[in-house]
Amino acid sequence: MSSELFAVGVNHKHAPVELRERLAVADDQHASLLRALREQGGLHEAMIISTCNRVEIYGVAPGAEVARGVLELLASLRTLDPRLVHDHCFTRESGDAARHIFRVASSLESLVVGEPQILGQVKGALTRARDSGTVGPVLDRCMSLAFKCAKRVRSETEIARGGASVPSVAVDLARSIFGELDRCSVMVVGAGEMAEQAALHLQASGVSELVVVNRSAERGEALAAKVEGRFEPWMRLIHQLGRADIVVASTASSRPIIDRTLLKPVMRSRRHRPLFLVDIAVPRDIDGDVTRLEDVFLYNVDDLQGIVNDNLRSRRGEADKADALVDEEVTAFASWMRSRAIGPLMGKLQAHGRTLAEAEVARALPKLGELSEQQQRVVAQLGRQIVQKLLHTPMATLRKASSEGATGFDAAMLAEALEVLFELREREREAEGEAEGEAEAEADAERRSA
Amino acid sequence: MLILFILAALAYGAATFAYGSRTVGADADADPVADDTGPFRYARLLLALGAALHVFAIGAQCVHGDHPLKNIYLANSFGTLIAVGGYLVLARPGRGLDALGPVLAPLGLVGLALGVMFSDVVGTAGSVPGGKDIGSAHVAFATAGLAGFTLAAGVAGLYLGMARRLRRKQYRPGRGGLSLQGLDRLHHRLVLLVTPVFTLAIVTGVLWTVEVGGLEQLRGRIFEVAAAGVAWLASVVLLVSRAIWGTRGRRSAWLTLLAFVMTILIVVSYGVRS
């Protein structure tokens, strides 16, 4: 029976968040759902990717109808109206399914094209499916090519270049000024949500020290604890300005808290050490006049957002290059699928050849008189080698036709011709009949003895 | 000899074109370092090929008695070769120093061409009896000094460009390469390395001039001496102020560029005289 790869599901492109969250699969639900898909849905192989932007099932089914039935099963398991799911879902089969999977792994289907998290999420989904025993050869091959594709897309295009959020762009800019941040000291002024986001990003980038300065000690200490930093009271602001390399300002102050007059003596004491000021507060916390001071680099939220927008535009521009890479990997997968489909035929052909050789050798040996064991082995080997040589060319041609399509013949047509020419179907039927006969005879014998 | 010159010139010319192809592309204004495709991919290789052929060309000249210390043009040819070689070592992929390529590739070509065209000019050290050793030492130190200042000035220029783009919010981060502080450190190290060599070049130059023509000749070379003094002072101020007051960044970069301009003026002055 032929097996087809498919991909079905809902994602941010077609389905509203309300539907996605109702279909979302928690980590501890994966195993039971995968089991249900295999047992009730009739899938040979399956894996589920469930993130905030997508709930998708990749699987291998005996036919397209089975794949479509998966959605109904998922809807019924989630007590949803199947029509609702149908209206917002997508279904891809064979090469289109592979292309979709490769694009997802390469972050080309992500809300923020080029974001790195999706690859880890796909890997996690595959691991969970493997643990549940629902990954077979097709999904295994497909996913390994998907990961290879994702790696190529990241390394051969600029799809992942440049931050896609304000905090990540701030970190990139800090790296452009200071290089590695492991010797950099950061001061976060304010304890709001934006300050927290920025502090978390900077902490994750490996800064050596993170100090939170805030008017309210309680909130400042809470943020410092959350981002594994140190709290300093507001009166230490100027002192910390002299120490820090990167300053993130995000207070609710209606007037600038850092201006040129305040910063001038600080910069003198810093002895030309650069100071990177990130002002993500609205209204602004840092007076724009400070840029007149030497070695001061000031970026406000609009500047950072401008870079984010440029980066996202550039990522979208790289998508065409990435698609070409995806096409190459899809072709490789399709070729593997075709060569896989002819595997059983090759096996049958070889078995047929072996049977013929063994039968002919068995008939010839008694006519040759008394032969030593070595001579008998030579005759048996001769029979096998003749058959091997005869079968080599047709098998190689079929393999080539299925993998590259380079012979000018259709692989399916060649396979059909081989089955007819060598009467492989009849022989299979005969073999099955013999096996059934033997089984019946054994059953009779058992009944008689009973 | 001629064939080596032609091949080296072709390689330098091709490297210049390859480096230039990146900066004059359609999107150059928007993103000057975005396009790694096209001829730019081969720029480094072509420059290395040009430098290798340049080495052979100088070797062939030496066989004919035209060694790098014979005259200012041959010394400059050797100096540009050192600068190109130093750049190839410093600008390994991912350090973001590619912007120096479009400057150094044509510089190598000019140095090579002058060295070949004026190889028979009656020179300085080799032709002066009595002052041969000290003159040779002077030309050697001056050549190394010029090459070092060229590289340091190139890196300082990159620093100033990057700092300017950062201050004007025109810089697009996330492309790797050396950071602003990395460029500052690199240019400081190059100046640290080249200043003692350049000091020796000045000392040997003064001694040699006095030995050959006395104080009268030294007075006749007052422009070169003054320019060398300014260049030396600039590099020493840079090193001392960094050590004592931590001066770095733009001021250091401008001092390096000043020292470089002075060395170029000296070379031009020598060229005009000879």
Side-chain angles (χ1 to χ4, degrees), chain A residues 120-171:
Chain A
Q121 289 165 334
V122 175
K123 282 181 178 170
L126 182 66
T127 306
R128 280 191 287 272
R130 274 213 181 102
D131 292 345
S132 305
T134 56
V135 176
V138 177
L139 264 187
D140 191 60
R141 181 74 177 188
C142 177
M143 296 318 293
S144 73
L145 283 173
F147 297 146
K148 182 186 163 201
C149 181
K151 196 176 168 189
R152 285 189 68 193
V153 166
R154 290 190 84 75
S155 60
E156 293 177 31
T157 73
E158 296 187 354
I159 201 116
R161 219 173 219 193
S165 67
V166 166
S168 64
V169 164
V171 170

Short mmCIF file of all heavy atoms in Angstrom, two decimals, chain A residues 120-171:
data_model
loop_
_atom_site.label_atom_id
_atom_site.label_comp_id
_atom_site.label_asym_id
_atom_site.label_seq_id
_atom_site.Cartn_x
_atom_site.Cartn_y
_atom_site.Cartn_z
N GLY A 120 13.66 25.02 17.05
CA GLY A 120 13.70 24.29 18.32
C GLY A 120 12.34 23.67 18.61
O GLY A 120 12.25 22.53 19.11
N GLN A 121 11.27 24.38 18.28
CA GLN A 121 9.93 23.85 18.54
C GLN A 121 9.65 22.64 17.64
O GLN A 121 9.07 21.65 18.09
CB GLN A 121 8.88 24.95 18.28
CG GLN A 121 8.92 26.03 19.36
CD GLN A 121 8.18 27.30 18.95
OE1 GLN A 121 8.03 27.60 17.77
NE2 GLN A 121 7.73 28.06 19.93
N VAL A 122 10.10 22.70 16.39
CA VAL A 122 9.90 21.54 15.49
C VAL A 122 10.73 20.35 15.99
O VAL A 122 10.25 19.21 15.99
CB VAL A 122 10.29 21.92 14.03
CG1 VAL A 122 10.20 20.71 13.13
CG2 VAL A 122 9.37 23.01 13.51
N LYS A 123 11.95 20.63 16.42
CA LYS A 123 12.79 19.54 16.94
C LYS A 123 12.14 18.91 18.17
O LYS A 123 12.15 17.69 18.33
CB LYS A 123 14.19 20.07 17.29
CG LYS A 123 15.06 20.25 16.07
CD LYS A 123 16.44 20.75 16.44
CE LYS A 123 17.30 20.87 15.19
NZ LYS A 123 18.56 21.57 15.40
N GLY A 124 11.59 19.76 19.04
CA GLY A 124 10.91 19.25 20.24
C GLY A 124 9.72 18.38 19.87
O GLY A 124 9.50 17.31 20.46
N ALA A 125 8.97 18.82 18.85
CA ALA A 125 7.80 18.05 18.41
C ALA A 125 8.22 16.69 17.88
O ALA A 125 7.57 15.67 18.15
CB ALA A 125 7.05 18.83 17.34
N LEU A 126 9.32 16.67 17.14
CA LEU A 126 9.79 15.40 16.58
C LEU A 126 10.24 14.46 17.71
O LEU A 126 9.96 13.26 17.67
CB LEU A 126 10.95 15.66 15.60
CG LEU A 126 11.51 14.42 14.92
CD1 LEU A 126 10.49 13.78 13.98
CD2 LEU A 126 12.78 14.74 14.13
N THR A 127 10.92 15.03 18.70
CA THR A 127 11.38 14.19 19.83
C THR A 127 10.17 13.57 20.54
O THR A 127 10.19 12.38 20.88
CB THR A 127 12.19 15.06 20.81
OG1 THR A 127 13.22 15.70 20.09
CG2 THR A 127 12.77 14.24 21.94
N ARG A 128 9.13 14.38 20.76
CA ARG A 128 7.93 13.86 21.45
C ARG A 128 7.27 12.76 20.62
O ARG A 128 6.84 11.75 21.16
CB ARG A 128 6.95 14.99 21.73
CG ARG A 128 7.32 15.81 22.96
CD ARG A 128 6.18 16.73 23.36
NE ARG A 128 6.08 17.85 22.43
CZ ARG A 128 6.75 18.98 22.55
NH1 ARG A 128 7.55 19.16 23.57
NH2 ARG A 128 6.62 19.95 21.68
N ALA A 129 7.24 12.97 19.29
CA ALA A 129 6.64 11.95 18.42
C ALA A 129 7.48 10.68 18.43
O ALA A 129 6.95 9.57 18.43
CB ALA A 129 6.49 12.50 17.01
N ARG A 130 8.79 10.84 18.45
CA ARG A 130 9.68 9.67 18.51
C ARG A 130 9.44 8.90 19.80
O ARG A 130 9.36 7.67 19.81
CB ARG A 130 11.14 10.12 18.47
CG ARG A 130 11.65 10.30 17.08
CD ARG A 130 13.14 9.95 16.99
NE ARG A 130 13.56 10.17 15.62
CZ ARG A 130 14.23 11.24 15.19
NH1 ARG A 130 14.60 12.16 16.06
NH2 ARG A 130 14.57 11.37 13.93
N ASP A 131 9.33 9.65 20.91
CA ASP A 131 9.08 9.01 22.20
C ASP A 131 7.76 8.24 22.19
O ASP A 131 7.61 7.24 22.89
CB ASP A 131 9.06 10.06 23.33
CG ASP A 131 10.43 10.67 23.54
OD1 ASP A 131 11.42 10.09 23.03
OD2 ASP A 131 10.53 11.74 24.18
N SER A 132 6.80 8.74 21.42
CA SER A 132 5.49 8.07 21.35
C SER A 132 5.49 6.95 20.31
O SER A 132 4.47 6.28 20.13
CB SER A 132 4.41 9.08 20.98
OG SER A 132 4.42 10.15 21.88
N GLY A 133 6.59 6.79 19.61
CA GLY A 133 6.69 5.70 18.62
C GLY A 133 5.90 5.96 17.36
O GLY A 133 5.51 5.00 16.67
N THR A 134 5.64 7.22 17.02
CA THR A 134 4.84 7.48 15.81
C THR A 134 5.68 8.05 14.67
O THR A 134 5.13 8.59 13.71
CB THR A 134 3.69 8.47 16.13
OG1 THR A 134 4.26 9.65 16.68
CG2 THR A 134 2.68 7.88 17.08
N VAL A 135 6.99 7.94 14.81
CA VAL A 135 7.84 8.41 13.71
C VAL A 135 8.40 7.20 12.97
O VAL A 135 9.04 6.34 13.56
CB VAL A 135 9.00 9.29 14.23
CG1 VAL A 135 9.93 9.68 13.09
CG2 VAL A 135 8.46 10.53 14.90
N GLY A 136 8.11 7.13 11.69
CA GLY A 136 8.62 6.05 10.85
C GLY A 136 9.64 6.58 9.87
O GLY A 136 10.09 7.73 10.00
N PRO A 137 9.98 5.77 8.87
CA PRO A 137 11.04 6.19 7.94
C PRO A 137 10.73 7.47 7.15
O PRO A 137 11.62 8.27 6.90
CB PRO A 137 11.18 5.00 6.99
CG PRO A 137 9.97 4.17 7.18
CD PRO A 137 9.49 4.42 8.57
N VAL A 138 9.44 7.66 6.77
CA VAL A 138 9.12 8.82 5.92
C VAL A 138 9.26 10.12 6.71
O VAL A 138 9.94 11.06 6.28
CB VAL A 138 7.70 8.69 5.33
CG1 VAL A 138 7.34 9.93 4.51
CG2 VAL A 138 7.60 7.45 4.47
N LEU A 139 8.64 10.17 7.88
CA LEU A 139 8.75 11.39 8.70
C LEU A 139 10.20 11.63 9.12
O LEU A 139 10.66 12.76 9.17
CB LEU A 139 7.87 11.29 9.93
CG LEU A 139 6.47 11.91 9.85
CD1 LEU A 139 5.79 11.86 11.20
CD2 LEU A 139 6.53 13.35 9.36
N ASP A 140 10.88 10.55 9.43
CA ASP A 140 12.26 10.66 9.87
C ASP A 140 13.10 11.33 8.77
O ASP A 140 13.84 12.28 9.03
CB ASP A 140 12.81 9.26 10.18
CG ASP A 140 14.13 9.34 10.89
OD1 ASP A 140 14.17 9.94 11.97
OD2 ASP A 140 15.12 8.83 10.34
N ARG A 141 12.95 10.82 7.54
CA ARG A 141 13.69 11.37 6.42
C ARG A 141 13.26 12.83 6.14
O ARG A 141 14.10 13.71 5.91
CB ARG A 141 13.43 10.50 5.18
CG ARG A 141 14.15 10.93 3.94
CD ARG A 141 15.60 10.60 4.05
NE ARG A 141 16.31 10.94 2.83
CZ ARG A 141 17.56 10.63 2.58
NH1 ARG A 141 18.24 9.96 3.49
NH2 ARG A 141 18.13 10.96 1.47
N CYS A 142 11.95 13.01 6.17
CA CYS A 142 11.41 14.35 5.88
C CYS A 142 11.95 15.38 6.88
O CYS A 142 12.39 16.47 6.49
CB CYS A 142 9.88 14.30 5.93
SG CYS A 142 9.11 15.89 5.69
N MET A 143 11.94 15.01 8.15
CA MET A 143 12.36 15.99 9.16
C MET A 143 13.87 16.22 9.12
O MET A 143 14.34 17.33 9.35
CB MET A 143 11.94 15.55 10.56
CG MET A 143 10.44 15.47 10.76
SD MET A 143 9.49 16.82 10.04
CE MET A 143 9.99 18.20 11.01
N SER A 144 14.63 15.14 8.81
CA SER A 144 16.08 15.38 8.76
C SER A 144 16.40 16.32 7.58
O SER A 144 17.28 17.18 7.69
CB SER A 144 16.87 14.07 8.68
OG SER A 144 16.73 13.50 7.42
N LEU A 145 15.67 16.17 6.47
CA LEU A 145 15.87 17.11 5.35
C LEU A 145 15.35 18.51 5.71
O LEU A 145 15.92 19.52 5.28
CB LEU A 145 15.16 16.60 4.09
CG LEU A 145 15.88 15.47 3.35
CD1 LEU A 145 15.02 14.93 2.21
CD2 LEU A 145 17.21 15.94 2.79
N ALA A 146 14.28 18.55 6.52
CA ALA A 146 13.75 19.86 6.94
C ALA A 146 14.78 20.60 7.79
O ALA A 146 14.99 21.81 7.62
CB ALA A 146 12.46 19.67 7.73
N PHE A 147 15.46 19.87 8.68
CA PHE A 147 16.47 20.51 9.53
C PHE A 147 17.68 20.95 8.70
O PHE A 147 18.26 22.01 8.93
CB PHE A 147 16.92 19.57 10.66
CG PHE A 147 15.79 19.21 11.59
CD1 PHE A 147 15.72 17.96 12.18
CD2 PHE A 147 14.78 20.12 11.86
CE1 PHE A 147 14.68 17.63 13.03
CE2 PHE A 147 13.73 19.79 12.70
CZ PHE A 147 13.67 18.56 13.28
N LYS A 148 18.02 20.10 7.71
CA LYS A 148 19.13 20.47 6.83
C LYS A 148 18.77 21.74 6.05
O LYS A 148 19.58 22.65 5.90
CB LYS A 148 19.39 19.31 5.85
CG LYS A 148 20.55 19.52 4.92
CD LYS A 148 20.63 18.41 3.91
CE LYS A 148 21.50 18.81 2.74
NZ LYS A 148 21.23 18.03 1.54
N CYS A 149 17.53 21.76 5.57
CA CYS A 149 17.04 22.92 4.81
C CYS A 149 17.09 24.19 5.68
O CYS A 149 17.56 25.24 5.24
CB CYS A 149 15.62 22.64 4.35
SG CYS A 149 14.90 23.95 3.37
N ALA A 150 16.62 24.05 6.93
CA ALA A 150 16.61 25.20 7.84
C ALA A 150 18.02 25.72 8.06
O ALA A 150 18.26 26.93 8.08
CB ALA A 150 15.97 24.80 9.16
N LYS A 151 18.96 24.78 8.21
CA LYS A 151 20.35 25.17 8.44
C LYS A 151 20.90 25.92 7.22
O LYS A 151 21.58 26.94 7.35
CB LYS A 151 21.17 23.90 8.70
CG LYS A 151 22.51 24.16 9.32
CD LYS A 151 23.19 22.86 9.63
CE LYS A 151 24.64 23.11 9.98
NZ LYS A 151 25.41 21.88 10.09
N ARG A 152 20.58 25.39 6.03
CA ARG A 152 21.06 26.04 4.80
C ARG A 152 20.46 27.44 4.66
O ARG A 152 21.15 28.38 4.29
CB ARG A 152 20.68 25.19 3.58
CG ARG A 152 21.53 23.95 3.42
CD ARG A 152 21.23 23.29 2.09
NE ARG A 152 21.67 24.12 0.97
CZ ARG A 152 21.32 23.91 -0.29
NH1 ARG A 152 20.51 22.91 -0.59
NH2 ARG A 152 21.76 24.69 -1.25
N VAL A 153 19.16 27.53 4.95
CA VAL A 153 18.49 28.83 4.81
C VAL A 153 19.13 29.85 5.74
O VAL A 153 19.37 31.00 5.37
CB VAL A 153 16.97 28.69 5.08
CG1 VAL A 153 16.33 30.05 5.29
CG2 VAL A 153 16.30 27.97 3.93
N ARG A 154 19.48 29.42 6.95
CA ARG A 154 20.08 30.36 7.92
C ARG A 154 21.50 30.75 7.51
O ARG A 154 21.93 31.87 7.73
CB ARG A 154 20.10 29.75 9.32
CG ARG A 154 18.73 29.65 9.94
CD ARG A 154 18.82 29.28 11.40
NE ARG A 154 19.03 30.45 12.22
CZ ARG A 154 18.09 31.33 12.51
NH1 ARG A 154 16.89 31.19 12.04
NH2 ARG A 154 18.35 32.36 13.27
N SER A 155 22.23 29.76 6.95
CA SER A 155 23.64 30.05 6.66
C SER A 155 23.84 30.64 5.26
O SER A 155 24.76 31.40 5.04
CB SER A 155 24.50 28.80 6.84
OG SER A 155 24.06 27.80 5.95
N GLU A 156 22.96 30.27 4.30
CA GLU A 156 23.20 30.71 2.92
C GLU A 156 22.37 31.94 2.53
O GLU A 156 22.54 32.46 1.43
CB GLU A 156 22.90 29.56 1.95
CG GLU A 156 23.89 28.41 2.10
CD GLU A 156 23.57 27.24 1.19
OE1 GLU A 156 23.04 27.44 0.10
OE2 GLU A 156 23.85 26.09 1.61
N THR A 157 21.47 32.35 3.39
CA THR A 157 20.74 33.60 3.12
C THR A 157 20.87 34.50 4.35
O THR A 157 21.39 34.07 5.37
CB THR A 157 19.23 33.35 2.86
OG1 THR A 157 18.61 33.02 4.10
CG2 THR A 157 19.00 32.24 1.85
N GLU A 158 20.37 35.71 4.21
CA GLU A 158 20.45 36.64 5.34
C GLU A 158 19.10 36.77 6.03
O GLU A 158 18.77 37.81 6.59
CB GLU A 158 20.94 37.99 4.84
CG GLU A 158 22.35 37.90 4.29
CD GLU A 158 22.92 39.25 3.95
OE1 GLU A 158 22.20 40.24 4.04
OE2 GLU A 158 24.11 39.29 3.61
N ILE A 159 18.33 35.68 5.97
CA ILE A 159 16.97 35.72 6.48
C ILE A 159 16.92 35.96 7.99
O ILE A 159 15.96 36.52 8.51
CB ILE A 159 16.24 34.42 6.10
CG1 ILE A 159 14.73 34.61 6.15
CG2 ILE A 159 16.60 33.26 7.00
CD1 ILE A 159 14.07 34.47 4.86
N ALA A 160 17.97 35.53 8.69
CA ALA A 160 17.95 35.67 10.15
C ALA A 160 18.82 36.82 10.62
O ALA A 160 19.10 36.95 11.80
CB ALA A 160 18.42 34.36 10.78
N ARG A 161 19.27 37.63 9.66
CA ARG A 161 20.20 38.70 10.03
C ARG A 161 19.46 39.91 10.61
O ARG A 161 18.43 40.31 10.10
CB ARG A 161 20.97 39.13 8.80
CG ARG A 161 22.40 39.41 9.15
CD ARG A 161 23.17 39.65 7.91
NE ARG A 161 24.49 39.04 8.00
CZ ARG A 161 25.45 39.32 7.15
NH1 ARG A 161 25.24 40.11 6.16
NH2 ARG A 161 26.61 38.76 7.29
N GLY A 162 20.01 40.45 11.67
CA GLY A 162 19.42 41.66 12.27
C GLY A 162 18.26 41.32 13.17
O GLY A 162 17.48 40.42 12.87
N GLY A 163 18.17 42.03 14.28
CA GLY A 163 17.11 41.76 15.25
C GLY A 163 15.73 42.08 14.70
O GLY A 163 15.58 42.93 13.82
N ALA A 164 14.74 41.39 15.25
CA ALA A 164 13.37 41.62 14.79
C ALA A 164 12.52 42.21 15.91
O ALA A 164 11.30 42.26 15.80
CB ALA A 164 12.76 40.31 14.30
N SER A 165 13.15 42.63 16.99
CA SER A 165 12.42 43.29 18.07
C SER A 165 13.29 44.41 18.62
O SER A 165 14.52 44.40 18.43
CB SER A 165 12.09 42.29 19.18
OG SER A 165 13.28 41.87 19.80
N VAL A 166 12.65 45.35 19.31
CA VAL A 166 13.40 46.50 19.84
C VAL A 166 14.52 46.05 20.79
O VAL A 166 15.67 46.47 20.63
CB VAL A 166 12.43 47.50 20.51
CG1 VAL A 166 13.18 48.52 21.35
CG2 VAL A 166 11.62 48.22 19.43
N PRO A 167 14.25 45.16 21.77
CA PRO A 167 15.36 44.75 22.65
C PRO A 167 16.48 44.03 21.92
O PRO A 167 17.65 44.25 22.21
CB PRO A 167 14.68 43.81 23.65
CG PRO A 167 13.24 44.16 23.61
CD PRO A 167 12.96 44.59 22.21
N SER A 168 16.14 43.18 20.93
CA SER A 168 17.21 42.45 20.25
C SER A 168 18.05 43.39 19.39
O SER A 168 19.27 43.20 19.27
CB SER A 168 16.65 41.30 19.42
OG SER A 168 15.85 41.79 18.38
N VAL A 169 17.43 44.42 18.81
CA VAL A 169 18.21 45.40 18.05
C VAL A 169 19.13 46.19 18.99
O VAL A 169 20.28 46.48 18.66
CB VAL A 169 17.27 46.35 17.26
CG1 VAL A 169 18.01 47.58 16.78
CG2 VAL A 169 16.69 45.62 16.06
N ALA A 170 18.62 46.49 20.18
CA ALA A 170 19.46 47.19 21.17
C ALA A 170 20.69 46.36 21.52
O ALA A 170 21.81 46.88 21.62
CB ALA A 170 18.64 47.50 22.42
N VAL A 171 20.49 45.05 21.68
CA VAL A 171 21.61 44.16 21.99
C VAL A 171 22.59 44.13 20.81
O VAL A 171 23.81 44.19 20.99
CB VAL A 171 21.10 42.74 22.34
CG1 VAL A 171 22.26 41.76 22.42
CG2 VAL A 171 20.36 42.75 23.66
#
